[in-house]
Amino acid sequence: MSQEKRIPFVRLAKRAEMDRKKVWLIRISSIFVAFILGSIPMMLTGSNPIEAYSVIISGSLSRPVYIRQTVKIAIPLLGCALAIAPCFKMRFWNIGAEGQITMGAMVSTYFALFFVKKVPNLPFLPDGSPNVTLLLIMLVSGAVAGGIWGLIPAFFKAKWNTNETLFTLMMNYIAIGIVAWLQGGPWEGRKGSQLIPMFDKSARLPDVFGVNCGWIIVLVLVVLMYIYMSRTKQGYEIAVIGDSVNTARYAGMNVGYIIMRTMFISGAISGLVGFLIVSGSNYTLYSGVANNVGFTAITVAWLSQLNSFAMIIISMILAVLDKGANTLQTRMGVPASIADIITGILLFAMLSSEFFINYKLVFRRSDKKEVSA
Amino acid sequence: MENKCAIEMKGITKRFGKVVANDSIDLSIYSGEILALLGENGSGKTTLMNMLSGIYQPDEGKIFKDGQEIYIRSPREAYQYGIGMIHQHYKLVEVFTAAQNVILGLDDEKLDLAKTEGKVKEIASRYGFDIDPSMKVYDMSVSQKQTVEIIKVLYRGASILVLDEPTAVLTPQETQKLFRILKNMREDGKAIIIITHKLNEVMEVSDKVAVLRKGRYVGTVETRNTNPQALTDMMVGHAVMLNIDRPKYEKPEEKLIVEHLTVLDQEGVKRLDDVSFTAKTGEILGIAGISGSGQKELLEAITGLYPIKNGSIRFVREKGKEVELMGLPPKRIRQEGVGMAFVPEDRLGMGLVGSMGMTGNMLLRSWRKGKGLLVEKKEPEELAKKIWEELEVVTPGTNYPVRRLSGGNVQKVLVGREIASQPEVLLTAYAVRGLDINTSYTIYNLLTEEKMKGVAVVYVGEDLDVLLELSDRILVLCGGQVAGIVDARSATKEEIGLMMTQFVTKEE
Ligand SMILES: Nc1ncnc2c1ncn2[C@@H]1O[C@H](COP(=O)(O)OP(=O)(O)O)[C@@H](O)[C@H]1O
Ligand SMILES: [Mg+2]
């Protein structure tokens, strides 16, 4: 009986605890692995991956105007990932950010369209400058609308323990449907155009360094969310519920109320993102206003391990890929969906890195030494 | 009588990451013998046996059967070598009958149920099992399920049987029955390995005892040449006092009065039925019962975590003022200033936050403190350090996730926190389950200290020997009803064992 053959060639073994630095090193190197793997589909489409990557980088970062466009893509992604983080920490699978963005955008638009002449601007501002009062009203109302849209599934979850994944998903389609109806009906601009009129100049967010000032708002949110999750009582409650609902009840927490409160906050941030999109970059509303940001943000939140600061980097990477892929398409004829493929590979690589953080492969020993990878 | 060596393990080493679960262990198992495998928790008993039953493969070392080296790569291969293991957690299909479960997974035979039932009956009568092959598993008691597991192994022709803590879930009477069966198997020439923590059981049933300590093999002794004290010393590595102090408290007073308590579960089944008792200061009230007799529901109802149908739970304040707790959620109970601490059965799922460190877990009691929005971490941090030191919790730091600590250390964190809240009533559920002897005695001492401070302690336990030694009075639960309350100083194990099954009507 040959014993070499009877021992399996490779098997899994649990790894010892790794220190944090090493863990993040593995996570970061998995990003590089993803880009290497991403070159395979590029070669399949007949282009040189090195060239393609440099086009992606130069197309998104080489000139100030490109950088501005890239940042413009990253702003809603980052904002919405911040919105999703507390829900996911609580293990409440909110995939309804898309709808919450849409509702926020819709209500902001309502004020932009119908209150533009009615709300006076701050007295000391010169004529023709953005109407700060109006913008503030739009911001707050958009956030409240998104919050309420998030609150509804949370209420049903808290009261009757309905499945939040399905519920939040359905709420997306309702929100999009409502906007589609407004677009072709009551809010339609020129009859038959199916378009809502563009916002008045005074209802548009001012630019700072060439990009709408939404980026400042979102960066402030990064810091606030970080503090909220790690330092506040509410953040603590969220973490405990995410770990074990029974422990939360044992500690005297009102789980249903906390779920509703957290979803309101989450929805409100998504609603605010909706406001940033309509008032900062689109200047109008249409049913596709959320443009999948609510879903892509899930990837951002997940890849960042719900860490607010990591979200800045991840949302920028995804924005670079998105913007760069468009350039790639025009310059080299590579389909822009290559960005989606790479994002998918990125997600896959990051998830498998988590696997290798916890396990190692042990190969069949030759001369009593264990080789591990 | 010279017995044949059935299995020999030589130099077996198994690592899980940094943990060396088994460190170069040698063990010989003989036919016609019952070997007790003894060791504190985490000493590597289950791991070692899992390598015999093909669940794990050793990192180093060899296994021999009849002088031939063998490699066991799966439970199926283990059966081919005649090795079968009865695990701590049963793996039965609830909606199948006993016989169906027995043949489940056997592919080389036609599913001839009648034939199987016949063979099951034959095995049962040979060794003295009490079983109905056509009974559905969901109708079975824990002990009956265990019987099915054992028969499953015998049906596959095992001549070497490993039982991992089989008595942990049994009443004294059921344990006796199991031991009779094991002895019958021994007479039949089978090699039997039994893992248990209970020294009196080791003394009663085994021929030899092998002791593991911290993953290492300490030695094997003949049972008739040893005694519980010597075995404990081998297991722990130094001498341990094996008796529990039971001082008397001067003037017990009523502290918690429970009357006619009835609760229903979600399906509307009565989990507690008209339960009444009083817990007194300076007293440990033991609660005995087969697991699932309403212990969990009782403690959770008192702490406001389980909905109550009927009854009254009154907490007696100083000067005899009473507060009605029934229907109050945990938050309100705390706001009422009722000093109640609770060590639940599910430590990581209810008592602690597994992903947080000791500090985060201390916060679980004090997170609401302070006016602002931010949590105050200073006090919990200090408390965590104090418990870390005083109870000798083995952890790299106060922020290391408690989920990664061993069972005993997890429990020290939980009990330490609850006692630190200076309660007037301390409720504990299976406070020493899965803990090693040393830690168990630490917990007994802590509870007795609390009692002497005038705390009303309620101790839900499963080991009757301990209940009898530790408690002042024992309340016996049976099927959600109070079967009786006895004085622990005069009651006997048999008496309590009988009360535990008093209301159960025979279904066979
Ligand atoms: N699957 C596993 N992964 C990591 N560590 C494990 C695993 N199984 C057991 N261990 C560790 O190995 C040691 C021995 O465990 P075990 O064999 O279960 O002990 P026992 O059965 O004697 O209580 C413990 O420290 C335990 O934490
Ligand atoms: Mg074990």
Side-chain angles (χ1 to χ4, degrees):
Chain A
M1 181 162 44
S2 134
Q3 64 155 302
E4 275 293 287
K5 281 208 188 88
R6 303 222 51 188
I7 305 175
F9 175 66
V10 60
R11 62 193 162 78
L12 285 174
K14 197 139 190 161
R15 228 185 239 288
E17 198 64 23
M18 254 194 231
D19 61 88
R20 294 189 122 205
K21 259 192 212 143
K22 220 171 149 191
V23 168
W24 279 101
L25 209 71
I26 290 186
R27 283 181 189 151
I28 289 167
S29 45
S30 76
I31 296 180
F32 286 99
V33 171
F35 287 133
I36 293 167
L37 288 175
S39 61
I40 297 171
M42 287 181 179
M43 285 191 281
L44 288 179
T45 59
S47 42
N48 177 345
I50 298 179
E51 205 185 325
Y53 277 125
S54 48
V55 169
I56 287 179
I57 300 286
S58 68
S60 56
L61 297 173
S62 65
R63 290 203 211 148
V65 56
Y66 295 160
I67 296 179
R68 275 183 225 133
Q69 285 167 347
T70 307
V71 170
K72 218 160 136 183
I73 298 173
I75 291 172
L77 271 184
L78 176 55
C80 193
L82 290 168
I84 289 169
C87 305
F88 276 26
K89 181 84 188 176
M90 200 170 63
R91 291 180 183 273
F92 183 99
W93 307 117
N94 171 22
I95 54 172
E98 195 82 355
Q100 292 144 24
I101 291 174
T102 308
M103 283 321 261
M106 183 188 92
V107 174
S108 295
T109 302
Y110 170 75
F111 286 98
L113 294 179
F114 302 109
F115 283 75
V116 105
K117 298 282 178 317
K118 295 181 190 154
V119 180
N121 199 355
L122 298 180
F124 50 85
L125 288 172
D127 260 6
S129 60
N131 186 337
V132 177
T133 344
L134 177 65
L135 286 171
L136 279 177
I137 291 174
M138 286 165 66
L139 183 151
V140 171
S141 62
V144 169
I148 290 172
W149 211 244
L151 187 61
I152 296 168
F155 174 78
F156 278 82
K157 169 91 180 181
K159 266 270 172 319
W160 295 289
N161 199 24
T162 51
N163 180 308
E164 75 269 18
T165 321
L166 283 174
F167 207 127
T168 49
L169 187 68
M170 291 190 318
M171 296 288 285
N172 289 341
Y173 300 119
I174 297 174
I176 292 167
I178 294 174
V179 173
W181 169 70
L182 288 173
Q183 204 179 324
W187 292 4
E188 193 177 28
R190 201 163 39 76
K191 278 286 159 247
S193 67
Q194 291 281 322
L195 290 176
I196 292 169
M198 297 294 273
F199 291 6
D200 187 84
K201 285 255 162 19
S202 62
R204 299 181 185 185
L205 274 179
D207 285 355
V208 178
F209 298 127
V211 188
N212 71 73
C213 65
W215 64 270
I216 301 175
I217 299 178
V218 175
L219 285 182
V220 169
L221 272 180
V222 167
V223 178
L224 289 182
M225 186 50 77
Y226 182 80
I227 295 172
Y228 182 72
M229 293 303 289
S230 61
R231 296 281 145 80
T232 65
K233 291 177 185 171
Q234 300 194 356
Y236 181 75
E237 291 172 338
I238 289 170
V240 172
I241 292 181
D243 194 281
S244 157
V245 170
N246 271 335
T247 303
R249 292 194 327 122
Y250 167 90
M253 295 174 187
N254 185 343
V255 176
Y257 166 74
I258 295 168
I259 289 180
M260 294 199 288
R261 184 189 66 203
T262 309
M263 269 304 280
F264 181 80
I265 292 172
S266 170
I269 298 175
S270 290
L272 181 138
V273 169
F275 155 74
L276 294 181
I277 295 174
V278 286
S279 166
S281 63
N282 292 359
Y283 307 135
T284 183
L285 176 73
Y286 51 93
S287 59
V289 60
N291 192 22
N292 272 333
V293 163
F295 294 113
T296 312
I298 295 174
T299 313
V300 176
W302 214 234
L303 287 178
S304 336
Q305 303 272 316
L306 308 184
N307 177 314
S308 310
F309 293 104
M311 284 176 199
I312 303 178
I313 300 165
I314 302 285
S315 56
M316 270 310 280
I317 292 179
L318 294 197
V320 163
L321 278 175
D322 194 17
K323 171 73 186 66
N326 281 325
T327 317
L328 197 60
Q329 184 162 24
T330 45
R331 278 204 216 151
M332 295 175 69
V334 179
S337 49
I338 197 83
D340 293 336
I341 296 178
I342 296 177
T343 309
I345 294 174
L346 200 59
L347 190 59
F348 182 77
M350 292 285 272
L351 292 180
S352 33
S353 80
E354 295 307 309
F355 178 81
F356 284 107
I357 285 166
N358 289 315
Y359 294 94
K360 63 181 173 187
L361 298 175
V362 180
F363 293 98
R364 183 165 64 208
R365 54 207 125 133
S366 42
D367 17 88
K368 291 223 83 177
K369 252 193 220 144
E370 291 229 327
V371 197
S372 60
Chain B
M1 186 174 70
E2 253 321 277
N3 285 316
K4 199 166 115 283
C5 182
I7 286 274
E8 203 176 356
M9 302 176 92
K10 270 197 178 154
I12 300 286
T13 297
K14 179 75 191 173
R15 298 185 194 88
F16 295 108
K18 251 187 246 162
V19 179
V20 186
N22 287 160
D23 186 359
S24 187
I25 291 185
D26 299 314
L27 190 71
S28 302
I29 298 146
Y30 294 87
S31 302
E33 244 179 44
I34 299 179
L35 175 75
L37 190 56
L38 192 63
E40 291 193 282
N41 244 278
S43 58
K45 306 179 295 287
T46 302
T47 305
L48 185 66
M49 290 302 115
N50 276 339
M51 282 185 283
L52 266 191
S53 62
I55 290 181
Y56 297 141
Q57 281 88 49
D59 292 338
E60 279 161 41
K62 293 175 175 170
I63 302 175
F64 297 91
K65 181 172 194 255
D66 306 325
Q68 274 263 348
E69 183 170 1
I70 58 172
Y71 301 90
I72 311 166
R73 289 176 306 174
S74 67
R76 194 176 280 255
E77 287 193 13
Y79 282 126
Q80 285 166 15
Y81 294 116
I83 304 168
M85 181 157 169
I86 291 93
H87 293 272
Q88 249 166 307
H89 306 284
Y90 305 145
K91 293 158 181 164
L92 297 173
V93 181
E94 293 272 318
V95 293
F96 280 7
T97 65
Q100 281 171 326
N101 267 289
V102 166
I103 49 168
L104 195 69
L106 289 177
D107 47 16
D108 48 3
E109 246 173 278
K110 284 224 183 69
L111 294 179
D112 184 350
L113 262 184
K115 211 172 114 200
T116 313
E117 292 193 0
K119 204 167 157 200
V120 167
K121 276 193 186 132
E122 192 237 329
I123 293 174
S125 68
R126 174 139 55 127
Y127 299 112
F129 291 107
D130 192 5
I131 191 174
D132 169 9
S134 57
M135 188 174 183
K136 290 265 205 301
V137 170
Y138 56 70
D139 281 329
M140 293 184 180
S141 68
V142 185
S143 136
Q144 284 169 318
K145 286 181 192 170
Q146 188 181 64
T147 305
V148 177
E149 286 281 3
I150 299 175
I151 290 183
K152 206 164 120 186
V153 167
L154 291 171
Y155 189 90
R156 285 159 173 72
S159 56
I160 301 157
L161 275 92
V162 182
L163 297 102
D164 196 353
E165 304 199 25
T167 59
V169 290
L170 303 182
T171 63
Q173 284 82 359
E174 290 166 339
T175 303
Q176 287 309 318
K177 214 154 101 187
L178 175 68
F179 286 174
R180 275 198 299 280
I181 287 166
L182 292 185
K183 285 174 184 163
N184 289 341
M185 289 191 206
R186 171 177 63 189
E187 302 316 315
D188 200 35
K190 305 231 181 263
I192 291 161
I193 306 171
I194 175 171
I195 300 180
T196 168
H197 289 294
K198 298 177 193 165
L199 293 171
N200 51 349
E201 294 179 356
V202 171
M203 296 306 297
E204 185 180 340
V205 77
S206 69
D207 299 298
K208 282 185 190 157
V209 192
V211 181
L212 300 186
R213 185 201 312 151
K214 294 188 175 142
R216 293 190 186 200
Y217 175 67
V218 181
T220 301
V221 291
E222 302 253 345
T223 309
R224 60 187 144 81
N225 296 337
T226 188
N227 57 56
Q229 185 66 53
L231 286 175
T232 311
D233 296 351
M234 259 174 105
M235 221 159 78
V236 182
H238 55 84
V240 184
M241 290 285 289
L242 269 193
N243 43 37
I244 306 173
D245 242 10
R246 181 163 46 191
K248 244 197 146 121
Y249 185 72
E250 283 305 312
K251 33 180 197 324
E253 280 164 24
E254 298 194 334
K255 193 78 220 173
L256 189 71
I257 304 167
V258 175
E259 274 172 19
H260 309 297
L261 186 64
T262 300
V263 309
L264 306 181
D265 67 9
Q266 280 173 338
E267 273 87 48
V269 178
K270 265 191 197 168
R271 289 289 158 186
L272 289 177
D273 188 358
D274 198 22
V275 169
S276 301
F277 67 91
T278 305
K280 297 185 186 137
T281 57
E283 177 193 73
I284 296 184
L285 175 68
I287 296 193
I290 305 172
S291 64
S293 300
Q295 295 96 323
K296 181 173 176 273
E297 291 79 2
L298 177 59
L299 299 196
E300 289 185 9
I302 294 174
T303 46
L305 293 166
Y306 206 95
I308 298 172
K309 177 92 198 313
N310 259 321
S312 153
I313 300 166
R314 297 193 305 280
F315 177 85
V316 184
R317 288 236 172 90
E318 267 143 64
K319 293 185 207 128
K321 264 201 196 150
E322 293 182 0
V323 202
E324 177 61 59
L325 301 184
M326 175 186 154
L328 296 188
K331 183 179 163 188
R332 293 268 293 118
I333 293 181
R334 257 175 226 186
Q335 282 168 348
E336 287 286 335
V338 171
M340 190 142 64
F342 178 28
V343 177
E345 171 182 2
D346 189 356
R347 292 162 201 168
L348 288 171
M350 180 175 256
L352 296 168
V353 191
S355 58
M356 295 184 187
M358 283 182 73
T359 306
N361 276 291
M362 296 304 130
L363 253 179
L364 210 51
R365 257 196 173 271
S366 60
W367 55 283
R368 236 189 273 270
K369 263 199 195 144
K371 284 228 174 66
L373 283 174
L374 302 187
V375 284
E376 292 182 6
K377 281 205 172 149
K378 216 168 152 202
E379 248 176 76
E381 174 76 47
E382 276 160 20
L383 180 58
K385 284 199 176 125
K386 193 171 146 231
I387 290 174
W388 186 12
E389 244 170 60
E390 284 179 9
L391 298 186
E392 295 168 355
V393 180
V394 182
T395 170
T398 48
N399 286 319
Y400 187 78
V402 295
R403 175 167 25 93
R404 301 227 180 87
L405 304 182
S406 75
N409 289 304
V410 167
Q411 185 68 326
K412 282 179 183 176
V413 175
L414 177 54
V415 172
R417 184 191 67 207
E418 290 306 293
I419 287 179
S421 72
Q422 301 189 324
E424 291 176 73
V425 177
L426 173 59
L427 308 168
T428 66
Y430 306 109
V432 299
R433 178 182 283 173
L435 304 194
D436 58 49
I437 291 208
N438 252 329
T439 319
S440 300
Y441 277 77
T442 310
I443 303 279
Y444 300 146
N445 288 336
L446 283 172
L447 296 184
T448 305
E449 261 173 42
E450 287 304 298
K451 156 184 148 181
M452 291 315 285
K453 278 186 208 157
V455 176
V457 180
V458 175
Y459 176 88
V460 172
E462 42 201 348
D463 187 332
L464 291 185
D465 293 297
V466 170
L467 272 166
L468 282 167
E469 264 187 87
L470 180 69
S471 325
D472 296 282
R473 287 184 303 146
I474 298 177
L475 182 158
V476 185
L477 277 178
C478 176
Q481 288 172 272
V482 177
I485 299 179
V486 297
D487 183 353
R489 287 182 175 77
S490 59
T492 67
K493 218 163 113 181
E494 286 65 34
E495 193 184 323
I496 293 174
L498 279 177
M499 289 166 82
M500 278 161 66
T501 52
Q502 178 174 317
F503 303 132
V504 180
T505 41
K506 275 261 188 247
E507 280 158 55
E508 291 97 326

